Amino acid sequence: MDKILEAVVMSSYPNNVKQGLVRRVIEAAKQPMDSEQCWSMLELSTKLYLTGDTKYKREIGKEVLEVYGHYHPEEFEEFFNVRFLLSLLQEGYGPLGKRSHYVLDYIQLGLQFVLESPSANSIFSLLRIEVLRKVCERPSPKQCAKISKLLTQHPQCIPVGKHQVLFCQQLIRCIGLFQCVSEGEEDIMEFLEQVNKVSGLLQRIWRAQTSAILPSLKELFTIISSTEEQEAPSNALASVVQFVPLELMDGVIRNLTNDDSITDVQMMTAVGRMIDWVSWPLGKNIDKWIIALLKGLAAVKKFSILIEVTLSKIEKVFSKLLYPIVREGALSVLQYMLLSFQHSHEAFHLLLPHIPRLVASLKKEDSNSATSSLEQLAELIHCMFFRFSGFPDLYEPVLEAVKALPIPNEDRIKHLLGQNAWTSQKNELACFYPRLASKSETGKIGLINLGNTCYMNSIIQSLFMASDFRHSVLNLTEGNSQPLMTKLQWLFAFLEHSQRPAISPESFLSASWPPWFTPGAQQDCSEYLKYLLDRLHEEEKTGKRIYQKLKESNLMSQAVEHHYLNKTLIEKMFGGKMMTKIRCLKCLNVSSREEAFTDLSLAFPPPDRHVRGSTSVLQVEEIGPQFIEPPENPTQLTGSPWIRRKAPVARDPAAPSMPVETLGFQEPGEVADPLSGNAVGMDAAKDPLSAFGEQACAPKDSRSVSDLINYFLSPERLTAENKYHCEKCASLQDAEKVAELTEGPHYLILTLLRFSFDPRTMKRKKILDNVSIPVVLKLPILVAPEETEEVCQREKDGAALGSGFMSVVYDLCSVVVHSGISSESGHYYCYSRECTDTIPHGQPQDGMPKSASDKQLDFEIQWYLFNDTRVSFSSFESVSNITSFFPKDTAYVLFYRQRPGRQSCLLHEALAEAGRLHGEPSLHKDLMEAISKDNILYLQEQEKEARNRAAYISALPKSPLWWRDFDRDKDDDNSSGGCSPAAGGGGSGSFHGLVF
């Protein structure tokens, strides 16, 4: 019968004819027959099953084997013996070089017929040894899956005792070598199914024998932490972790992170490879294990590992959000990585270029998964905006991308940031921040945040960028008996000459610290600035006067010389004077008092008060637009600060009003002198304000700096509880109080009083109103009649004669921004530019200052953004639009520099003379040596860090280029299916890139 069957199978008959003949042979096999005939048929069917070159032959061999196993059990048991199986497993079947791949399938098929035979136990014992030997030979994924299928169906064949633990460990090593060489989707699905079978076997063993779990995990960690392997272990290892019971997680992580035998390099390698597992599509709980390990490392303060791994892997994790099949796990890991990385903006900033494209892709996908992920991503982004404010130029595209998504409230943001931070102790991460490889491309140097000291950093950078003040400080002589000023000189010198990207202001902070400030808490930068300037002023007044470089020019009188040389440096640079007058409304008697100031605190008018149309004696107008480039068509200008105001109402016929203006762009071919009277009150044909008309006005509800100054200078009615005690009337009377500027400071500091106390909440609340900031401000200064006459003779300008006021022009040079909604929290950063005279410090030949149009409104001067350690190029457009994009980021303290002009000519000429005599400030010997030594030390630190970093980086596991995911998404917009960035999934290429 075996000859007949072989002849039929090998014949050239059609398959349907062969099938009929085979049916007859199989039916005959069900009848009793002798042992020899059974053996012949079993040998033939074994040959067909193991070496058949077609699927048809193997199916016939399988069918015949099943019939003989069922109808001739004794003969089958005798044939399917231990010796035969040992030969199959160790020597294979078939000609040398063409060994059968179906031996394991054959054994699994035959086992079902010998389970009750006397030889069953011998066969099981043999298979326990042989499967262990097989996995030690590192079989292919397909063969491993066959072993797993065999042992899952016949658990009696699973190795026991110590061999069982060894079997699990070797099986994990096999998984670590799994690779899918094909990119076809069917082949990939088959590969995933094979991996699932193998990891499923491990799960079965662990359930039955929990003692095998920990040794298996130890082997797994050994594999992923190895730094000797040329190739990274397969991501298929992720399938092993998903079956580890979560109740073991705490103990496993604790043992790992406290094991002193594991080096930092090994741990970093292992964590990096685990994070790569987020791309494994079939894993469950993988994100939980990754996050648990990251938390465990934070608990033992392994911050260097966390920082390196986060910065090297966060972009790859982010890219996996494109794929629905792994999105949930990837988003969980991304959330923890970002929310825990709170000591620096680096990790978040790595993602900024990719966020808009990902958001667009998720919106296009339009699935529940995408919608949910978008909302979580937007919440995460707003947490990062809150934590790392002060980067408006970088954040604008991201804000635009997520503007339609829900915004979490501040309590939710604080909750997320609070529960995920690596440590509550900021100083524990101090040595890891900043991670700056080189000096900013701007050439400027940042200041390290020493724990909520951004308020000080912003003020120091603003003072440093006040070039006249900086030069004066740097020119101070040694032994000046001013310890705080000396520390400021050292700080300025390091900001000027250090090679470091950022320096620590720790010494200056301890010296300038207001005693009522709470260490580590956020403070009011305006309060700090006032205290600092007052300390410096008082120190110079009571100590040896050091500012002797301003000498009398030929034009200085003895009185003027005495006036200037008796001023402190703070008075010369920031000091102004203001006359406060109170007029009794009954007897019309006027009392006046002059007082000095270093800054003007500008309150916000009540909502029902329209300052633009008010009747203040001195109306302020701005000089200068809010935008960098003038519009081609002025009628299309939007958001301009040009404001039409009513004529001021005079209080005193002897002192008519003098508006404070804002310089704007002139009509083509027209040159206007902003200091002349012609700049105000021109007829409509010549007035660019009239030409722009109401279309160029600021929004109706918006305010400008000039509005706040108008409100500051406008008359205040003293009545009811605030009545004035008139000495002439000798009683309380209604009165009118007004302030007039009598001496403009060289640097005008304006503080916008945004913080007010709310008795309902017992907290200081913030006024978030947007205030437009003019780049140039024209301020009226009240002068005595004799000064007016002298100035007019010098300036040959009769327009100011008899007016009692003269115009002083100020250029914006710094803006300190507060980000947040409370003075007790938030963040400070500043915009600054270096305002210097673009013409020689002396006046032109005709004695007139340079006009605004000639000076081009100083738009060519570069702006910088100072945000603690980070310094970047910026623009006035960014300054003026900051609150439009980020409502909680508002201008708080403004620095303006006075242009060379009428009142300031003496000081400017003195500064110019000092500049000509001394050139760039020359530092004294000790200071130069200290800077030189620190620069050498910094270079040595850089070399050491480079060596250490090289050791870390070389240990990081190499993985596929993460950005290919984004490039593929961009180029393959029409893909579809379950695994692509769009709903459901694309071609095999994208799927292969995801998994492998």
Side-chain angles (χ1 to χ4, degrees):
M1 190 178 292
D2 58 303
K3 300 295 182 183
I4 296 173
L5 179 60
E6 186 174 13
V8 170
V9 171
M10 300 300 176
S11 69
S12 58
Y13 295 139
N15 281 348
N16 59 338
V17 176
K18 289 183 183 180
Q19 192 63 31
L21 296 173
V22 169
R23 285 285 105 207
R24 293 183 183 182
V25 172
I26 290 176
E27 288 299 322
K30 295 179 182 179
Q31 304 303 319
M33 63 177 63
D34 59 57
S35 177
E36 184 179 350
Q37 184 63 44
C38 283
W39 270 76
S40 298
M41 286 296 289
L42 286 170
E43 286 178 344
L44 175 61
S45 57
T46 298
K47 178 182 177 183
L48 289 173
Y49 188 87
L50 291 176
T51 63
D53 55 0
T54 64
K55 186 178 179 180
Y56 174 73
K57 292 178 182 178
R58 291 194 298 275
E59 286 294 329
I60 291 176
K62 177 184 177 184
E63 200 169 351
V64 173
L65 281 169
E66 289 174 337
V67 169
Y68 276 86
H70 186 74
Y71 290 97
H72 306 282
E74 294 179 2
E75 287 79 4
F76 188 89
E77 290 170 13
E78 186 179 352
F79 178 82
F80 199 77
N81 59 63
V82 171
R83 183 179 298 175
F84 174 59
L85 294 182
L86 181 62
S87 172
L88 282 178
L89 289 167
Q90 292 189 354
E91 300 173 14
Y93 189 93
L96 192 64
K98 292 186 179 180
R99 299 299 190 191
S100 173
H101 299 294
Y102 301 99
V103 169
L104 291 170
D105 304 87
Y106 176 81
I107 293 173
Q108 182 180 342
L109 174 65
L111 273 178
Q112 59 184 311
F113 301 110
V114 297
L115 294 177
E116 304 298 329
S117 70
S119 63
N121 288 332
S122 299
I123 293 174
F124 295 154
S125 297
L126 170 69
L127 290 176
R128 291 188 195 111
I129 296 172
E130 285 301 307
V131 293
L132 177 58
R133 183 184 62 80
K134 279 284 185 186
V135 296
C136 289
E137 293 174 353
R138 306 289 181 262
S140 66
K142 190 172 185 178
Q143 290 300 309
C144 274
K146 289 182 177 181
I147 292 174
S148 300
K149 184 179 178 181
L150 170 64
L151 299 185
T152 301
Q153 189 169 345
H154 302 288
Q156 308 95 320
C157 303
I158 296 175
V160 294
K162 292 181 179 179
H163 286 173
Q164 187 178 84
V165 172
L166 182 60
F167 176 78
C168 291
Q169 292 174 329
Q170 294 302 315
L171 197 59
I172 290 172
R173 287 213 168 263
C174 288
I175 297 174
L177 296 174
F178 284 0
Q179 299 294 337
C180 183
V181 294
S182 172
E183 293 192 2
E185 191 161 336
E186 289 184 5
D187 293 331
I188 291 173
M189 295 304 296
E190 183 183 1
F191 174 76
L192 294 175
E193 186 179 352
Q194 291 163 358
V195 174
N196 233 20
K197 286 180 180 177
V198 178
S199 58
L201 173 62
L202 283 170
Q203 180 190 25
R204 184 186 183 96
I205 295 173
W206 290 345
R207 279 181 178 173
Q209 196 68 35
T210 55
S211 61
I213 297 178
L214 292 181
S216 300
L217 291 182
K218 186 175 181 180
E219 189 71 17
L220 173 64
F221 186 81
T222 301
I223 295 170
I224 63 175
S225 64
S226 173
T227 58
E228 299 174 359
E229 303 293 336
Q230 293 296 320
E231 291 187 11
S234 171
N235 281 349
L237 287 169
S239 64
V240 175
V241 176
Q242 66 179 327
F243 295 123
V244 180
L246 292 180
E247 55 265 26
L248 297 179
M249 182 183 288
D250 289 343
V252 170
I253 297 300
R254 190 163 52 249
N255 289 338
L256 273 180
T257 54
N258 288 282
D259 189 342
D260 293 334
S261 66
I262 300 173
T263 67
D264 284 359
V265 172
Q266 289 175 322
M267 182 62 76
M268 184 165 57
T269 303
V271 176
R273 287 169 173 165
M274 281 185 68
I275 291 175
D276 287 341
W277 293 350
V278 297
S279 62
W280 185 255
L282 301 178
K284 297 176 182 177
N285 299 327
I286 293 173
D287 56 322
K288 293 183 176 67
W289 280 94
I290 294 172
I291 293 170
L293 183 53
L294 294 175
K295 287 182 176 179
L297 290 171
V300 295
K301 299 180 173 43
K302 296 284 188 178
F303 300 126
S304 58
I305 296 175
L306 291 167
I307 290 170
E308 292 292 348
V309 169
T310 300
L311 294 179
S312 64
K313 293 294 181 181
I314 195 166
E315 289 173 286
K316 183 177 182 182
V317 173
F318 182 80
S319 72
K320 299 309 170 189
L321 298 183
L322 289 166
Y323 304 96
I325 198 170
V326 297
R327 183 176 293 150
E328 183 179 354
L331 185 56
S332 296
V333 175
L334 179 72
Q335 283 175 325
Y336 179 77
M337 291 175 84
L338 275 182
L339 291 172
S340 62
F341 203 93
Q342 293 187 31
H343 71 288
S344 165
H345 54 257
E346 289 174 276
F348 178 52
H349 285 192
L350 287 174
L351 306 181
L352 294 180
H354 317 300
I355 291 175
R357 195 189 304 178
L358 175 69
V359 170
S361 178
L362 292 177
K363 287 180 178 178
K364 182 180 178 182
E365 182 181 316
D366 192 26
S367 66
N368 291 336
S369 167
T371 302
S372 173
S373 298
L374 272 174
E375 292 177 356
Q376 293 179 67
L377 184 62
E379 182 177 72
L380 190 57
I381 290 169
H382 283 289
C383 285
M384 294 297 100
F385 284 166
F386 181 87
R387 180 65 186 85
F388 305 116
S389 56
F391 302 93
D393 298 345
L394 294 177
Y395 291 170
E396 282 178 17
V398 176
L399 190 67
E400 182 68 21
V402 300
K403 65 181 180 181
L405 298 171
I407 300 175
N409 61 43
E410 187 169 341
D411 289 339
R412 170 66 176 167
I413 290 174
K414 288 180 177 178
H415 171 72
L416 290 172
L417 291 172
Q419 71 177 10
N420 288 286
W422 284 337
T423 173
S424 60
Q425 304 299 319
K426 293 182 176 63
N427 57 351
E428 292 191 52
L429 286 163
C431 60
F432 300 103
Y433 182 71
R435 275 175 41 107
L436 300 173
S438 60
K439 208 169 178 178
S440 163
E441 61 180 354
T442 63
K444 305 295 182 183
I445 296 174
L447 290 169
I448 295 173
N449 191 315
L450 302 172
N452 279 331
T453 58
C454 53
Y455 66 91
M456 179 189 70
N457 291 349
S458 298
I459 292 300
I460 290 175
Q461 294 286 19
S462 297
L463 292 174
F464 178 80
M465 293 297 285
S467 54
D468 298 330
F469 177 65
R470 179 179 75 244
H471 289 158
S472 298
V473 171
L474 292 176
N475 271 321
L476 295 178
T477 57
E478 227 176 331
N480 52 58
S481 303
Q482 298 180 76
L484 184 57
M485 185 68 82
T486 299
K487 286 185 179 294
L488 183 62
Q489 182 188 41
W490 278 62
L491 184 56
F492 278 6
F494 272 83
L495 285 174
E496 184 95 2
H497 299 289
S498 178
Q499 293 301 313
R500 294 180 183 272
I503 60 175
S504 170
E506 186 173 4
S507 176
F508 188 77
L509 173 65
S510 60
S512 63
W513 183 276
W516 61 89
F517 276 15
T518 304
Q522 185 61 277
Q523 305 294 343
D524 189 328
C525 75
S526 173
E527 187 178 1
Y528 174 77
L529 175 61
K530 289 186 177 80
Y531 176 79
L532 175 61
L533 295 182
D534 185 60
R535 276 276 309 276
L536 293 170
H537 168 69
E538 292 298 326
E539 189 177 78
E540 184 177 353
K541 269 180 64 177
T542 58
K544 180 182 177 182
R545 286 186 295 138
I546 60 166
Y547 194 68
Q548 299 294 334
K549 296 186 182 295
L550 293 183
K551 300 296 182 182
E552 177 189 8
S553 68
N554 294 331
L555 298 174
M556 276 190 180
S557 65
Q558 291 295 322
V560 172
E561 176 188 5
H562 178 79
H563 175 72
Y564 276 103
L565 291 182
N566 278 282
K567 280 190 170 185
T568 65
L569 177 58
I570 299 304
E571 286 177 312
K572 292 169 186 172
M573 292 294 161
F574 305 102
K577 289 184 179 178
M578 179 170 53
M579 181 75 73
T580 303
K581 296 180 179 179
I582 302 179
R583 182 175 64 172
C584 175
L585 296 181
K586 181 179 181 181
C587 67
L588 301 183
N589 180 57
V590 177
S591 64
S592 60
R593 175 171 54 92
E594 188 176 53
E595 54 188 347
F597 67 88
T598 54
D599 80 311
L600 296 180
S601 298
L602 305 180
F604 283 71
D608 57 345
R609 174 146 186 178
H610 302 288
V611 178
R612 294 192 180 100
S614 71
T615 58
S616 65
V617 174
L618 301 179
Q619 281 200 304
V620 180
E621 293 188 21
E622 303 164 3
I623 308 176
Q626 302 298 304
F627 301 99
I628 299 302
E629 298 295 337
E632 293 182 6
N633 183 357
T635 61
Q636 296 176 353
L637 184 65
T638 59
S640 169
W642 291 111
I643 301 168
R644 300 295 294 160
R645 295 185 174 83
K646 296 180 182 178
V649 178
R651 286 171 298 181
D652 189 343
S657 65
M658 182 70 177
V660 179
E661 304 170 5
T662 58
L663 277 181
F665 296 113
Q666 309 302 323
E667 292 292 348
E670 180 182 354
V671 177
D673 180 2
L675 299 179
S676 72
N678 294 332
V680 184
M682 290 186 274
D683 58 43
K686 296 181 180 180
D687 186 1
L689 289 170
S690 302
F692 287 162
E694 292 301 324
Q695 293 184 34
C697 290
K700 183 178 180 180
D701 297 328
S702 69
R703 301 190 185 277
S704 68
V705 170
S706 58
D707 293 331
L708 303 190
I709 301 179
N710 275 332
Y711 181 56
F712 179 82
L713 297 176
S714 62
E716 178 186 357
R717 196 70 177 262
L718 303 178
T719 185
E721 295 180 357
N722 293 324
K723 281 189 176 184
Y724 166 68
H725 186 274
C726 176
E727 293 182 359
K728 190 172 181 179
C729 298
S731 61
L732 293 174
Q733 298 293 338
D734 287 349
E736 191 175 64
K737 176 182 175 182
V738 70
E740 295 171 343
L741 303 178
T742 57
E743 183 179 319
H746 185 61
Y747 283 101
L748 172 66
I749 300 175
L750 303 176
T751 301
L752 312 188
L753 297 178
R754 291 190 174 274
F755 301 113
S756 60
F757 185 75
D758 187 347
R760 184 176 57 84
T761 61
M762 300 301 289
K763 291 182 179 180
R764 292 178 74 192
K765 64 179 181 179
K766 181 178 176 182
I767 300 171
L768 294 172
D769 294 7
N770 192 3
V771 177
S772 61
I773 305 169
V775 70
V776 184
L777 194 65
K778 189 174 179 183
L779 212 61
I781 304 296
L782 180 67
V783 293
E786 61 272 15
E787 291 179 7
T788 304
E789 186 175 354
E790 180 184 348
V791 167
C792 291
Q793 289 173 354
R794 285 176 52 84
E795 304 292 347
K796 298 181 176 58
D797 177 13
L801 198 60
S803 68
F805 291 94
M806 67 177 182
S807 294
V808 177
V809 180
Y810 284 90
D811 296 296
L812 181 68
C813 53
S814 287
V815 178
V816 178
V817 176
H818 177 263
S819 175
I821 60 172
S822 166
S823 62
E824 287 83 18
S825 63
H827 179 63
Y828 288 100
Y829 56 95
C830 74
Y831 292 92
S832 287
R833 62 174 182 164
E834 197 155 349
C835 288
T836 55
D837 300 328
T838 55
I839 56 175
H841 284 278
Q843 295 300 321
Q845 295 294 324
D846 59 0
M848 292 297 293
K850 195 168 186 181
S851 70
S853 56
D854 291 337
K855 200 174 169 71
Q856 296 181 355
L857 297 177
D858 287 335
F859 284 121
E860 71 280 0
I861 300 178
Q862 178 65 57
W863 281 89
Y864 302 95
L865 174 57
F866 294 89
N867 187 2
D868 289 335
T869 56
R870 183 180 184 269
V871 187
S872 57
F873 290 114
S874 191
S875 64
F876 181 67
E877 185 176 14
S878 179
V879 179
S880 56
N881 291 335
I882 180 67
T883 308
S884 302
F885 283 98
F886 302 93
K888 295 178 183 178
D889 291 29
T890 53
Y892 184 39
V893 179
L894 314 177
F895 287 72
Y896 282 87
R897 179 184 182 270
Q898 189 179 142
R899 279 192 193 173
R902 297 163 181 153
Q903 188 194 35
S904 64
C905 61
L906 300 178
L907 178 58
H908 276 277
E909 288 173 7
L911 288 169
E913 181 65 23
R916 283 192 291 271
L917 290 175
H918 302 282
E920 284 299 312
S922 57
L923 307 178
H924 57 78
K925 182 180 177 182
D926 288 350
L927 186 48
M928 285 302 297
E929 286 182 357
I931 294 172
S932 178
K933 286 180 181 179
D934 186 69
N935 285 340
I936 293 172
L937 177 62
Y938 171 66
L939 293 176
Q940 293 171 344
E941 291 172 357
Q942 288 292 94
E943 290 175 4
K944 183 179 179 181
E945 183 181 346
R947 288 194 297 269
N948 293 339
R949 186 167 172 76
Y952 270 131
I953 295 302
S954 63
L956 286 173
K958 295 177 175 59
S959 56
L961 298 178
W962 56 266
W963 58 79
R964 287 178 182 165
D965 293 314
F966 290 103
D967 293 339
R968 185 180 303 115
D969 180 47
K970 177 178 65 176
D971 298 332
D972 190 19
D973 288 335
N974 296 322
S975 60
S976 60
C979 304
S980 77
S988 58
S990 64
F991 191 81
H992 187 271
L994 163 69
V995 184
F996 313 106

